[in-house]
Amino acid sequence: MAEIRDDSALDSPAFEVRFIGESKGKGLFAVKPFKAGDVIFEERPLVCCQFAWNAAYGYLACDFCMRPLEGAEENVRRLTGKKDIVLPYPHCCPTNRNSHTQCPSCGVWYCSSTCQEQAWNQYHRTLCLQSHSHHPNHPLEQLNGAWKHMHYPPETTSVMLLARMIATVQQAEDPANALHFFMQFCHRTVNEEQEIAHKLLGEQFKGQMQVLQELMVKALYSDSVQQWLSPDGFQSLMALVGTNGQGVGTSPFSEWVKKVSELELAADEKQQLDSFIDKLYEDLNEEVGTFLNNEGSALYALQSVCNHSCDPNATPTFPHSNFQLAMCAVRDIAPGDEILISYLDECALERSRHSRQKLLR
């Protein structure tokens, strides 16, 4: 299962976690210099989950690490609706179907037997539906259905990420220690400094929160997580995910593009390939807009310590086409500098400060 560590284990010769103050909490600081483009650290999440609607619309990803399960050609045909598209250089497709496997009890797909085993040992033993058929009356199905009804795309998290956290604690060798580690994440319902609040924590969503809390109790109650399943505890858990959740995106087509772009080709072949790719992206934009990727959210021990800046010096990336995060410097960072990331996308960063604060809220 995911290693549950204390904050002292997060420091390294390259960076360290420091307490800044009550408003900001902790921050991550460089101990050595980094150049623009350097990888500051890489880490796997403590828990990760694909978005509910993303999975329902046929975006196929490993249920543990979110590695794409579609081939690049299959992916672009599905998203554009054009069944005659043929991608050149098929050897650049990253998908290896020979390693794919299913949970024998519920049929959930994984990219490898390693991911299947790790999921089982961390949380899936608790969450497995024990059936290949859809059972709408199963408590976990009811929970996921209620979430989808309340939270349409674009999604920011999934209630099943909370379920995986709860199951991770229940299956841990030391549940109390696992619970304690998760609670070290910031879990206030409001960040007073930037007034960031999860969109489902407002008074207008009180009834929805109650429904989700009651369904979670019905599905996963145990003494080891009872503090998370009271009304206040569940709101705290939702705030934890809303504040610390990091989006994860993977795409077999984008991986294919990256690999073919690295090929040594003649100038005319390169130009032809670039035009072909540009046209595909135009077709994709026309059909699905920004919904190109397998998307989900995850909790990362180090990334979650990084504070927000509208002028960040680092950015999270996913270079391995799975949930493994690499934090990369976007400009030079000196020893003693705080490592800062943006919680907003590139377009939002161009807006006024007032607009940015509204988006953060």
Side-chain angles (χ1 to χ4, degrees):
M1 62 169 287
E3 184 183 0
I4 302 295
R5 303 165 295 181
D6 49 49
D7 270 355
S8 60
L10 302 181
D11 294 341
S12 86
F15 50 79
E16 64 183 11
V17 177
R18 299 179 191 167
F19 180 75
I20 299 172
E22 288 301 325
S23 62
K24 275 194 170 184
K26 300 166 189 168
L28 195 68
F29 291 81
V31 173
K32 72 166 198 177
F34 294 96
K35 295 288 187 184
D38 284 353
V39 174
I40 302 167
F41 62 81
E42 290 199 24
E43 66 173 330
R44 286 167 49 125
L46 297 166
V47 65
C48 178
C49 188
Q50 187 177 5
F51 291 148
W53 280 112
N54 190 259
Y57 279 122
Y59 290 78
L60 304 179
C62 174
D63 199 57
F64 182 69
C65 78
M66 286 196 60
R67 185 179 297 280
L69 300 179
E70 283 182 305
E73 187 174 272
E74 179 186 9
N75 176 247
V76 78
R77 285 179 174 183
R78 177 176 62 82
L79 292 177
T80 61
K82 297 180 177 181
K83 304 303 181 187
D84 58 346
I85 289 176
V86 177
L87 296 186
Y89 313 105
H91 63 282
C92 291
C93 176
T95 306
N96 177 18
R97 286 192 176 84
N98 293 330
S99 67
H100 295 177
T101 187
Q102 286 180 284
C103 170
S105 298
C106 69
V108 165
W109 280 97
Y110 299 96
C111 68
S112 66
S113 56
T114 300
C115 278
Q116 179 187 352
E117 181 180 0
Q118 290 179 332
W120 181 262
N121 291 336
Q122 180 179 335
Y123 55 76
H124 191 65
R125 187 172 71 244
T126 299
L127 300 181
C128 182
L129 299 179
Q130 300 294 325
S131 173
H132 287 244
S133 302
H134 174 66
H135 289 289
N137 292 326
H138 190 289
L140 287 171
E141 294 275 33
Q142 290 180 328
L143 178 65
N144 198 37
W147 173 260
K148 286 166 64 180
H149 182 72
M150 297 173 188
H151 201 69
Y152 294 97
E155 295 168 272
T156 54
T157 190
S158 168
V159 76
M160 297 310 292
L161 182 67
L162 280 66
R164 289 187 180 187
M165 290 170 61
I166 290 169
T168 294
V169 171
Q170 291 173 334
Q171 289 188 205
E173 290 184 12
D174 185 347
N177 181 59
L179 184 76
H180 173 71
F181 183 81
F182 276 122
M183 294 308 289
Q184 291 183 79
F185 285 86
C186 174
H187 55 279
R188 290 168 293 180
T189 56
V190 174
N191 178 316
E192 292 83 359
E193 174 104 346
Q194 294 171 325
E195 298 181 10
I196 300 171
H198 190 278
K199 66 187 293 185
L200 281 181
L201 295 179
E203 187 66 28
Q204 69 270 37
F205 297 111
K206 190 173 181 179
Q208 294 182 347
M209 289 289 290
Q210 183 178 347
V211 168
L212 292 173
Q213 180 253 336
E214 290 173 353
L215 287 171
M216 190 72 81
V217 169
K218 182 179 177 183
L220 291 172
Y221 181 84
S222 73
D223 290 344
S224 61
V225 290
Q226 59 179 321
Q227 74 179 74
W228 275 349
L229 296 179
S230 68
D232 287 344
F234 187 75
Q235 181 163 303
S236 174
L237 186 61
M238 185 68 77
L240 187 158
V241 170
T243 305
N244 299 281
Q246 165 66 48
V248 179
T250 65
S251 163
F253 177 60
S254 66
E255 283 298 299
W256 176 86
V257 170
K258 184 166 68 175
K259 288 179 182 294
V260 297
S261 299
E262 295 168 354
L263 296 175
E264 293 185 7
L265 303 173
D268 59 334
E269 287 181 288
K270 181 72 171 171
Q271 185 176 7
Q272 188 176 7
L273 177 63
D274 287 346
S275 298
F276 176 73
I277 291 172
D278 287 344
K279 179 62 169 65
L280 284 178
Y281 273 118
E282 287 176 13
D283 292 344
L284 288 166
N285 184 64
E286 187 175 323
E287 291 298 321
V288 295
T290 59
F291 296 99
L292 292 177
N293 300 338
N294 305 320
E295 294 183 344
S297 60
L299 285 180
Y300 295 87
L302 279 171
Q303 175 274 339
S304 68
V305 182
C306 297
N307 285 306
H308 166 76
S309 170
C310 287
D311 184 24
N313 56 18
T315 188
T317 65
F318 296 91
H320 307 295
S321 197
N322 62 7
F323 62 17
Q324 177 98 356
L325 180 149
M327 187 65 70
C328 294
V330 295
R331 63 171 187 265
D332 292 354
I333 299 174
D337 286 353
E338 185 176 2
I339 296 166
L340 298 165
I341 62 176
S342 173
Y343 298 167
L344 302 172
D345 63 28
E346 199 169 322
C347 293
L349 285 171
E350 297 299 320
R351 302 188 185 196
S352 69
R353 183 181 183 279
H354 175 71
S355 295
R356 292 198 302 263
Q357 291 299 313
K358 286 180 69 177
L359 285 165
L360 285 167
R361 286 196 291 273

